[in-house]
Amino acid sequence: MADATDSVSSTTNAVEAPEAKSETKQSTAAAEPKRLWGDEVDDSSDEEPSASTASEDKVVSELNVGELRIEDEEKINTFLDEPEDSNVTAVTSDKTPYTSAKTFEDLNLSPELLKGIYVEMKFQKPSKIQAISLPMILTPPYKDLIAQAHNGSGKTTCFALGMLSRVDPKLKAPQALCICPTRELAIQNLQVVSKMATYTGISSECAVPEEFTASRSRAPVMTQIIIGTPGTIKKWMTIGKLSLRFMKILVFDEADHMLDADGFRDDSLRIMREIRKSSPHCQVLLFSATFSDSVRNFVTRIVEDYNQLFVKKEELSLDAVKQYKVYCPDELAKVMVIRDRIFELGENMGQTIIFTSTKLGASALHKALVELGYDVSTIQGGLDMSARDKIVKEFKDGLTQVLISTDVLARGFDQQQVNVVINYDLPKKHGMRLEPDYEVYLHRVGRAGRFGRKGAVFNLVTAAEKALMEKIEKHFGSQVMEVPPSNSEDDFKAALKAAGLL
DNA sequence: ATTTCGT
């Protein structure tokens, strides 16, 4: 693959940056301390001494990716980095040479898959994260991968292409499995995969709970790519409907949540163990925008000989949107803010998602806003499957402007028209009054400003939540501007203007 | 708390 760069990189253990200039290899890497994937990468200002990036003769590429630094450790680990803005770091586990993909042609994909990428998906070239991760995924020996990727950076494409290119189109048996935390995310991912697969003849289906269908009455799975939620996948496995013998690749979307003790860890591990029993060489990919400390320590124990890729915390999408806080004396004030400010000003701002922490809270807010005469819809896990599907479809079709949601949509939900996110309440760690759930906060924020679009987040904060808000600001080190709740529209107008929405 | 299922 990648014949264009053969002469440069055939003997180096390198993932080349997409826009790497061939002349730029400099020997400045010696002083770089070894950094493991589990280490904190944030808050420490520039650990990358920018003095070494001698900018005189440097052509700044449009992707802002400079040359890679290569450093051989005494161990087999090789360290790859991007000096200029080291927001993506890849760590390979051995000497397997990887060359980053400047184009999709570099990836040795089938012509049918390539056509799907260009014609159906209308992609032109790999995003930064795709350029680096895809060669790691697709180059034999197929190593496991732990990848932290921005919200909306195209990580779905990474594992979708991974699955599609590892599947043998002629073998009519399940060969790729993707596990997601919610039904909605599984359905969304399936839509991406099946669109990408248009010309390949590769089949895909969802393994999610359905309202009127019993698993036991279905035929054994012959679909090649399965995307689903833990419960249904487990069910299909235990009743023998899902053969694992031909499984080549296992993907965890929102991997940190899937492997969090407080999330789906038990289910995920059980599924993974079963697959490894039948298919010991099944490749495992872990993708998420966030990895909490405890999870990333755990994760490195369940995969071995893995490649890894991570980005700095401050690069994780928080800067793409403007964050605001509105101190509200009580809950009524929150409703008034939504009514008088967001709804009144929001006409041309695109769609809005209002997050609540509980199903009850979602229903209560729904009731209040409907009573005020507003047309909102609400989704939460307590609803019928068909109702959930309908509400998501209406929102994705643009028929609904405002959607109230629990954290069922906090992760991964991709709707590019969403420019405003409202935290009706702030995410808290389970059972902890004063401890914010930073990961959920970041994922909620990530629903706005998809793919670098403009966006604004309004945190509606009561006195009881003030400490949470302060901790969140401190944790991310990002400015959350205060907007007064009631004085005049002008403050909100200014906030929305600053966010680029008015 | 939230998610997913089973029972």
Side-chain angles (χ1 to χ4, degrees):
Chain A
M1 72 150 80
D3 27 1
T5 54
D6 265 353
S7 58
V8 197
S9 59
S10 59
T11 58
T12 47
N13 179 14
V15 173
E16 276 201 15
E19 306 296 308
K21 302 287 178 275
S22 52
E23 96 287 344
T24 47
K25 208 148 285 171
Q26 297 177 3
S27 52
T28 50
E32 182 75 356
K34 180 170 179 176
R35 193 207 286 149
L36 291 176
W37 178 77
D39 294 344
E40 274 292 348
V41 197
D42 52 54
D43 300 336
S44 50
S45 66
D46 308 328
E47 86 276 18
E48 204 62 62
S50 53
S52 65
T53 42
S55 51
E56 317 91 65
D57 56 347
K58 190 88 154 257
V59 184
V60 178
S61 67
E62 52 176 319
L63 271 184
N64 201 18
V65 176
E67 79 274 25
L68 287 167
R69 243 191 248 169
I70 297 162
E71 178 186 7
D72 282 322
E73 297 292 333
E74 69 278 29
K75 301 233 190 93
I76 51 173
N77 276 5
T78 292
F79 206 97
L80 307 170
D81 214 335
E82 300 176 3
E84 189 139 357
D85 65 332
S86 64
N87 52 8
V88 179
T89 301
V91 181
T92 57
S93 72
D94 70 359
K95 298 291 187 191
T96 308
Y98 298 110
T99 305
S100 88
K102 295 178 182 63
T103 69
F104 288 111
E105 278 80 2
D106 290 345
L107 293 166
N108 264 343
L109 307 171
S110 71
E112 293 79 16
L113 187 48
L114 216 46
K115 185 175 174 192
I117 290 169
Y118 291 128
V119 176
E120 296 296 318
M121 308 305 291
K122 302 192 168 47
F123 293 156
Q124 296 181 339
K125 60 177 195 165
S127 72
K128 190 192 288 189
I129 205 86
Q130 290 160 10
I132 298 174
S133 71
L134 285 168
M136 287 180 166
I137 296 170
L138 301 177
T139 307
Y142 304 109
K143 290 183 182 298
D144 295 346
L145 175 71
I146 302 171
Q148 185 190 26
H150 303 67
N151 287 319
S153 66
K155 72 183 162 68
T156 307
T157 300
C158 294
F159 62 72
L161 279 179
M163 293 194 290
L164 284 164
S165 35
R166 299 249 11 239
V167 163
D168 173 4
K170 293 189 292 292
L171 175 59
K172 304 298 181 195
Q175 300 170 60
L177 180 64
C178 172
I179 313 180
C180 314
T182 65
R183 196 171 177 281
E184 281 66 25
L185 192 49
I187 293 169
Q188 180 179 283
N189 286 337
L190 183 84
Q191 287 165 350
V192 172
V193 166
S194 79
K195 195 170 181 190
M196 213 177 274
T198 302
Y199 308 101
T200 64
I202 295 173
S203 55
S204 53
E205 75 169 298
C206 264
V208 296
E210 298 292 347
E211 210 160 354
F212 304 113
T213 55
S215 299
R216 277 198 302 311
S217 66
R218 63 153 296 144
V221 177
M222 288 185 282
T223 315
Q224 291 154 320
I225 298 181
I226 310 297
I227 303 180
T229 45
T232 301
I233 291 171
K234 239 175 25 178
K235 174 94 183 167
W236 289 10
M237 279 168 37
T238 52
I239 63 176
K241 296 290 186 186
L242 179 61
S243 168
L244 305 178
R245 287 181 295 135
F246 306 98
M247 210 54 84
K248 290 198 178 88
I249 180 168
L250 169 63
V251 179
F252 287 97
D253 194 8
E254 306 297 340
D256 68 326
H257 192 225
M258 299 310 297
L259 293 164
D260 189 351
D262 199 32
F264 295 101
R265 179 176 294 183
D266 293 346
D267 287 344
S268 297
L269 289 183
R270 201 186 129 195
I271 294 168
M272 194 188 291
R273 271 198 302 268
E274 287 295 318
I275 290 178
R276 282 181 167 163
K277 235 192 281 172
S278 316
S279 307
H281 301 298
C282 183
Q283 180 183 27
V284 178
L285 310 183
L286 305 171
F287 275 90
S288 183
T290 56
F291 282 95
S292 74
D293 294 345
S294 62
V295 173
R296 48 183 159 181
N297 288 330
F298 176 77
V299 149
T300 54
R301 296 208 307 268
I302 61 165
V303 288
E304 39 191 81
D305 192 23
Y306 51 90
N307 292 323
Q308 47 187 311
L309 195 158
F310 61 92
V311 299
K312 280 196 193 178
K313 192 192 298 181
E314 61 263 35
E315 298 285 342
L316 285 174
S317 93
L318 273 184
D319 294 333
V321 301
K322 290 272 184 216
Q323 301 173 79
Y324 298 101
K325 57 189 171 193
V326 187
Y327 287 119
C328 300
D330 48 36
E331 239 188 283
L332 178 61
K334 292 187 176 185
V335 174
M336 312 252 266
V337 166
I338 291 170
R339 182 190 65 178
D340 298 337
R341 304 291 175 243
I342 311 298
F343 284 172
E344 292 306 312
L345 297 171
E347 296 294 307
N348 309 309
M349 286 189 323
Q351 291 170 295
T352 298
I353 297 181
I354 306 176
F355 282 109
T356 65
S357 293
T358 66
K359 293 185 251 192
L360 244 44
S363 309
L365 179 60
H366 181 94
K367 215 169 156 191
L369 294 177
V370 167
E371 221 157 85
L372 290 172
Y374 290 96
D375 186 23
V376 296
S377 62
T378 299
I379 183 167
Q380 36 100 346
L383 302 179
D384 293 343
M385 301 307 163
S386 54
R388 288 167 61 159
D389 291 346
K390 178 163 170 279
I391 286 159
V392 167
K393 183 173 191 315
E394 285 173 352
F395 192 67
K396 288 211 173 191
D397 289 345
L399 301 176
T400 327
Q401 284 303 93
V402 178
L403 181 61
I404 300 168
S405 175
T406 58
D407 286 323
V408 64
L409 292 193
R411 287 168 172 268
F413 183 72
D414 184 36
Q415 169 67 357
Q416 305 207 189
Q417 308 309 315
V418 174
N419 291 322
V420 178
V421 162
I422 297 173
N423 285 323
Y424 186 79
D425 41 35
L426 295 174
K428 280 197 288 268
K429 281 223 171 70
H430 180 41
M432 304 182 74
R433 271 218 98 57
L434 294 172
E435 193 58 16
D437 191 323
Y438 302 109
E439 281 73 34
V440 170
Y441 182 82
L442 191 134
H443 282 280
R444 283 183 178 185
V445 169
R447 293 321 99 212
R450 307 290 293 161
F451 273 91
R453 284 158 152 266
K454 309 278 188 201
V457 177
F458 291 92
N459 296 294
L460 309 185
V461 185
T462 54
E465 295 172 302
K466 200 171 173 203
L468 289 173
M469 189 71 246
E470 283 164 1
K471 281 188 178 177
I472 287 171
E473 291 175 70
K474 187 159 176 251
H475 179 85
F476 292 107
S478 59
Q479 182 117 350
V480 179
M481 301 261 280
E482 184 180 347
V483 183
S486 52
N487 296 340
S488 74
E489 274 195 1
D490 295 344
D491 299 307
F492 273 83
K493 274 190 180 153
L496 292 166
K497 271 199 187 116
L501 295 183
L502 278 184

